[in-house]
Amino acid sequence: MTTCIPAGTGKLHFRVRDFNAQGCRKASWVTFSELSWSRGVSKFLQIQRCNSSQSPINESSKPLRTITSSSLRDDSTKFFDFTVIGSGVAGLRYALEVAKHGSVAVITKAEPHESNTNYAQGGVSAVLCPSDSVESHVQDTIVAGAYLCDEETVRVVCTEGPERIRELIAMGASFDHGEDGNLHLTREGGHSHHRIVHAADMTGKEIERALLEAVIKDPNIFMFQHHFAIDLLTSQDGSETVCLGVDTLNTETLEVIRFISKVTLLASGGAGQIYPTTTNPPVATGDGIAMAHRAQAVVSNMEFVQFHPTALADEGLPVKSTKARGNAFLITEAVRGDGGILYNLDMERFMPLYDERAELATRDVVARSIDDQLKKRNEKYVLLDISHKPRDKILSHFPNIAAECLRGGLDITRQPIPVVPAAHYMCGGVRAGLQGETNVQGLYVAGEVACTGLHGANRLASNSLLEALVFARRAVQPSIDHMKSSSLDFSASNWWSRPVVPMSLERNVINKILTMTRKVRKELQSIMWNYVGIVRSTTRLEAAEQKIHDLEAKWEDYLFRLGWEPTMVGLEACEMRNFFCCAKMVVSSALARHESRGLHYTIDFPHVEESERLPTIIFPCSSVKSTWSSRQLHNQPMC
Amino acid sequence: MATNLSRRFSSTIVTKAEPLARSAVNSVGRLLSSSTGQSQPERENAEVKYDGSAKQDDDGAEDGENDGDELDLNKETGEIGGPKGPEPTRYGDWEKNGRCSDF
């Protein structure tokens, strides 16, 4: 067994680079990185590995799993060498590798396959054709990213992509081939070569399937589904923050389960649900970004939210379904390409006012034009009309749209389709170095939750699965090294107070809180869409800030007045905390960028400014006046 | 406003691709090479739910299955086991039957 070394005397050091902060704004402040991505980050994260001769017994040749299974006196605390939060492509890919070196817990808040990965129906981009080149993929990525990408990161990802695909194939993922036996590659917008590898049109699902199958078979990987991650467990070692695990809530049994690990990988995905219309499934509530922020991790580029201009707007359908749609039905560019016309609710064709290419303008222009119309006219959706085309063509080209609309009582061969932009992907997130490392010791990130510098100000199509694969793999060796060279005190499980399930509250009180929380959630989504949408302005962003602040105060006040304690947990309440956290970060980042670039457009600074071509960084700062959402549950101030 | 919004997008690339003409040629090519010799019954077989209108000059459902090959081969793209119907990326985004899933 290992000797105990309390974290306070830990031998691992790193220096926190002192950025010129502009001062605190509530729980965080925003400034610009002085250096380019990779230089900045590697300086920022000088991790000196502790000398193994100095650290006792601990070079764990004996994997923790045997200890775990034999000393489970207390079922509510589990010890693993590695903890993975999230079961999408990043989490699972990483788990499969580190499992060769120790025990792994994979924590997922719903069913394992429920993640953005599973809905990724396009493909993965990689240079797999002899006539293609890494340089070309790099260029395409940087152009799409509006020159805000970290070039070294882009190069690394584009270079390592092909190998990651080959590994996936070796693991059993089947991608489409051509007759010649080579992988079949398509070409998406923004790519100058055919380089999208795919499995019919359910690539994400296929990758998820192959990885899950391998994970289930792996004796070192333990899957904990329906475990919602509440907060990361961290301790301070001087100026350094160390992550030692995570608290979770088993949403089926309503038990709090604490996971203690030397290494944690955060792969919890996106935050699309902070907007009312999103392609993301309901699990995508930004939990990881929020937890990391509360754990003192640096977050970056939160203002870059990718929207698609035309998702089916349920509120415009004649027949409203009783069940809310899980995730938005995006209507393809092809409808406009085939002659579809956009109208506002007064049946005015507005695109020609914004661009001479009208409906055939680039997607970003269309998205902004639609958003502009909606804000100016205070409306909920616009109309996309294809009914002037021959009925049989419409039905043969777009049977999915026709069927879906028919379910809502709309015949697209006769009537226009109600559409509204939908949030799709978060380019920002927890700031990661080239090995997926963060400024928190023992905390690594991969996938959509991370901000690696790959996407810059706008993601290139099919680069997200690629990023997840590459960074999940890159985080493996540093994780193993860290696991082997750090020590874990088994009494660590008592260092933090435990979150509690609200047993002491009456059923009707809980119901009231639930009802209020759901209402507040909708209000927040509405604020985000109306004030932090596609076309932004300083006035609107400042209004958003105020409204979010007021809404959060109102919600917390309601909860606590009804008897909710700061250490209590419930799924909806915890998700709501994370919503507020993410929303505030998006707003403050958007306010900090005094230019328009990529996905971030503001009428007050409508042009690209070279001097602003830097990532937006959010540092956590401990502030006296903080809200429930901005502090870890076990770190609440005493009342 | 028009210039403001459009000026920014010179760097954004969306390929409104080629394929309409390409698929017309291939559709015709496929008809001619069809082993059953009759295009109409094949089409109705493939697209039972639609009215049996004459082959359109653009990309109807290019269904590899009907060729009579064992392989699920898309003659136009040479792809085996691929998505049915027209090339999903022909308008830049990833599209199936009108629903977009990546862009």
Side-chain angles (χ1 to χ4, degrees):
Chain A
M1 280 274 265
T2 58
T3 326
C4 301
I5 292 188
T9 60
K11 301 208 188 321
L12 299 161
H13 299 284
F14 74 86
R15 251 185 290 118
V16 175
R17 183 188 156 84
D18 215 352
F19 285 102
N20 264 332
Q22 314 246 322
C24 283
R25 190 204 316 246
K26 298 191 179 74
S28 61
W29 76 86
V30 182
T31 186
F32 282 109
S33 160
E34 300 294 292
L35 297 179
S36 77
W37 268 99
S38 58
R39 276 185 292 139
V41 173
S42 59
K43 252 183 140 159
F44 188 54
L45 296 170
Q46 275 170 20
I47 297 175
Q48 281 142 39
R49 299 257 158 249
C50 88
N51 206 330
S52 53
S53 62
Q54 289 175 341
S55 87
I57 314 180
N58 165 58
E59 300 75 57
S60 46
S61 43
K62 189 183 292 235
L64 228 96
R65 63 177 179 272
T66 58
I67 299 164
T68 308
S69 52
S70 66
S71 71
L72 273 181
R73 275 159 294 166
D74 177 5
D75 239 3
S76 63
T77 301
K78 298 186 193 295
F79 296 87
F80 285 88
D81 295 307
F82 305 93
T83 294
V84 176
I85 301 173
S87 59
V89 61
L92 298 185
R93 184 69 191 82
Y94 173 91
L96 286 166
E97 286 302 322
V98 295
K100 299 170 187 167
H101 297 267
S103 59
V104 187
V106 175
I107 291 165
T108 187
K109 77 194 255 196
E111 305 283 314
H113 60 267
E114 201 53 39
S115 68
N116 277 358
T117 296
N118 213 38
Y119 292 83
Q121 285 167 40
V124 193
S125 54
V127 175
L128 288 158
C129 176
S131 65
D132 193 2
S133 69
V134 166
E135 193 51 49
S136 164
H137 191 182
V138 165
Q139 276 315 303
D140 291 344
T141 301
I142 291 177
V143 167
Y147 300 94
L148 198 65
C149 311
D150 173 53
E151 187 160 336
E152 189 178 353
T153 303
V154 177
R155 198 163 293 283
V156 160
V157 172
C158 295
T159 304
E160 299 184 358
E163 191 51 41
R164 302 286 84 81
I165 303 288
R166 285 184 210 113
E167 280 167 1
L168 272 184
I169 293 171
M171 274 180 203
S174 346
F175 296 114
D176 293 349
H177 282 75
E179 281 177 288
D180 55 359
N182 289 329
L183 286 170
H184 184 264
L185 307 168
T186 53
R187 184 177 137 187
E188 265 182 290
H191 290 272
S192 49
H193 276 82
H194 282 245
R195 63 171 73 102
I196 316 292
V197 144
H198 56 103
D201 47 22
M202 27 162 254
T203 308
K205 214 166 180 167
E206 172 58 17
I207 293 176
E208 184 71 15
R209 179 205 65 74
L211 292 174
L212 263 179
E213 199 172 296
V215 159
I216 286 167
K217 287 191 186 130
D218 193 312
N220 274 4
I221 305 180
F222 301 79
M223 178 79 74
F224 294 89
Q225 55 187 33
H226 299 291
H227 280 58
F228 172 83
I230 300 164
D231 264 312
L232 295 169
L233 298 168
T234 53
S235 66
Q236 287 300 126
D237 176 20
S239 59
E240 168 197 328
T241 307
V242 185
C243 179
L244 293 166
V246 61
D247 273 339
T248 68
L249 172 67
N250 181 332
T251 54
E252 287 185 317
T253 62
L254 293 184
E255 275 182 277
V256 170
I257 309 286
R258 175 162 282 181
F259 289 82
I260 304 289
S261 281
K262 296 184 207 170
V263 176
T264 305
L265 178 85
L266 196 53
S268 48
Q273 289 285 332
I274 64 175
Y275 286 94
T277 310
T278 175
T279 58
N280 293 184
V283 293
T285 50
D287 305 324
I289 303 172
M291 287 195 296
H293 175 71
R294 290 193 289 263
Q296 313 292 301
V298 174
V299 170
S300 183
N301 283 358
M302 287 295 284
E303 66 270 42
F304 300 111
V305 181
Q306 191 173 47
F307 286 84
H308 187 280
T310 51
L312 185 59
D314 291 320
E315 52 259 294
L317 292 171
V319 175
K320 311 277 186 282
S321 109
T322 44
K323 199 172 89 142
R325 183 190 296 282
N327 45 349
F329 185 109
L330 287 186
I331 291 173
T332 175
E333 320 251 350
V335 173
R336 284 177 281 116
D338 266 12
I341 310 282
L342 284 163
Y343 297 99
N344 61 31
L345 293 186
D346 283 338
M347 288 312 283
E348 294 165 338
R349 185 181 180 187
F350 56 85
M351 279 311 303
L353 300 173
Y354 295 96
D355 194 290
E356 63 205 3
R357 295 165 294 181
E359 279 76 10
L360 296 183
T362 58
R363 186 175 46 243
D364 319 50
V365 175
V366 174
R368 283 165 210 202
S369 309
I370 293 177
D371 193 48
D372 190 65
Q373 282 287 298
L374 294 175
K375 299 302 188 281
K376 282 202 163 80
R377 301 171 53 88
N378 198 22
E379 279 163 0
K380 295 202 182 315
Y381 53 87
V382 295
L383 301 167
L384 178 58
D385 195 3
I386 190 103
S387 63
H388 49 283
K389 290 287 169 186
R391 180 187 160 81
D392 55 352
K393 271 205 187 178
I394 298 175
L395 294 179
S396 76
H397 289 185
F398 311 120
N400 263 6
I401 304 182
E404 190 63 32
C405 287
L406 211 54
R407 270 195 271 282
L410 191 105
D411 180 353
I412 66 172
T413 65
R414 286 175 202 278
Q415 300 160 275
I417 309 166
V419 293
V420 67
H424 181 73
Y425 185 86
M426 303 289 293
C427 295
V430 183
R431 184 160 161 150
L434 283 174
Q435 319 283 25
E437 77 275 25
T438 65
N439 59 304
V440 174
Q441 275 279 285
L443 181 67
Y444 298 83
V445 286
E448 193 175 349
V449 71
C451 184
T452 62
L454 176 71
H455 304 308
N458 194 352
R459 177 189 67 93
L460 178 63
S462 295
N463 265 4
S464 50
L465 287 173
L466 178 68
E467 181 193 40
L469 286 169
V470 169
F471 273 84
R473 190 66 189 75
R474 286 180 74 85
V476 168
Q477 195 55 53
S479 298
I480 293 166
D481 293 344
H482 182 85
M483 194 272 290
K484 290 190 165 142
S485 65
S486 61
S487 64
L488 188 53
D489 182 345
F490 283 95
S491 74
S493 63
N494 298 322
W495 290 349
W496 309 271
S497 58
R498 276 191 185 257
V500 293
V501 174
M503 300 293 221
S504 56
L505 293 182
E506 291 187 13
R507 188 73 239 167
N508 73 315
V509 169
I510 296 195
N511 285 340
K512 278 187 179 164
I513 288 175
L514 219 60
T515 306
M516 174 58 109
T517 303
R518 285 174 189 158
K519 189 161 141 286
V520 166
R521 180 176 182 145
K522 284 199 155 58
E523 271 186 67
L524 181 63
Q525 288 170 334
S526 179
I527 293 170
M528 289 306 288
W529 176 237
N530 289 325
Y531 296 89
V532 198
I534 301 172
V535 178
R536 298 164 175 173
S537 73
T538 307
T539 320
R540 276 195 192 257
L541 291 172
E542 285 173 346
E545 218 173 30
Q546 188 61 54
K547 285 175 187 289
I548 293 172
H549 171 268
D550 294 344
L551 186 64
E552 187 176 10
K554 172 179 122 178
W555 178 65
E556 288 191 5
D557 187 62
Y558 186 84
L559 247 61
F560 296 133
R561 264 192 302 111
L562 283 182
W564 187 272
E565 309 263 333
T567 51
M568 281 180 178
V569 289
L571 178 62
E572 288 82 3
C574 290
E575 280 182 341
M576 199 66 238
R577 289 173 81 218
N578 297 337
F579 267 67
F580 277 117
C581 201
C582 288
K584 287 188 288 190
M585 286 195 278
V586 173
V587 175
S588 60
S589 302
L591 275 167
R593 183 166 294 275
H594 295 177
E595 66 158 356
S596 287
R597 184 180 294 270
L599 297 166
H600 174 70
Y601 180 83
T602 168
I603 60 180
D604 291 289
F605 304 99
H607 310 296
V608 165
E609 294 290 338
E610 182 56 30
S611 61
E612 298 272 309
R613 191 167 67 86
L614 296 160
T616 309
I617 311 285
I618 298 180
F619 287 98
C621 76
S622 41
S623 140
V624 178
K625 260 185 14 165
S626 59
T627 61
W628 187 49
S629 83
S630 60
R631 299 175 81 109
Q632 293 162 309
L633 224 72
H634 49 73
N635 212 5
Q636 296 294 324
M638 297 305 167
C639 303
Chain B
M1 170 66 97
T3 42
N4 281 353
L5 285 177
S6 59
R7 193 182 352 172
R8 320 186 33 55
F9 302 107
S10 52
S11 61
T12 312
I13 305 157
V14 173
T15 49
K16 295 284 194 233
E18 339 88 52
L20 293 182
R22 188 157 65 97
S23 45
V25 169
N26 283 334
S27 316
V28 170
R30 198 159 73 75
L31 278 175
L32 294 176
S33 69
S34 148
S35 51
T36 62
Q38 287 279 344
S39 63
Q40 218 46 6
E42 262 186 34
R43 267 189 46 79
E44 271 159 3
N45 206 22
E47 300 169 342
V48 155
K49 37 186 181 277
Y50 310 125
D51 50 38
S53 44
K55 187 83 178 169
Q56 302 300 331
D57 63 348
D58 56 7
D59 45 14
E62 282 160 354
D63 201 335
E65 282 178 321
N66 279 336
D67 296 330
D69 294 342
E70 301 88 7
L71 292 172
D72 189 3
L73 174 68
N74 181 323
K75 285 261 157 108
E76 178 196 328
T77 60
E79 186 178 358
I80 296 170
K84 304 284 182 285
E87 175 57 37
T89 57
R90 70 197 190 285
Y91 278 101
D93 59 6
W94 190 284
E95 170 268 341
K96 180 180 174 172
N97 292 332
R99 184 167 197 175
C100 160
S101 47
D102 189 31
F103 54 94

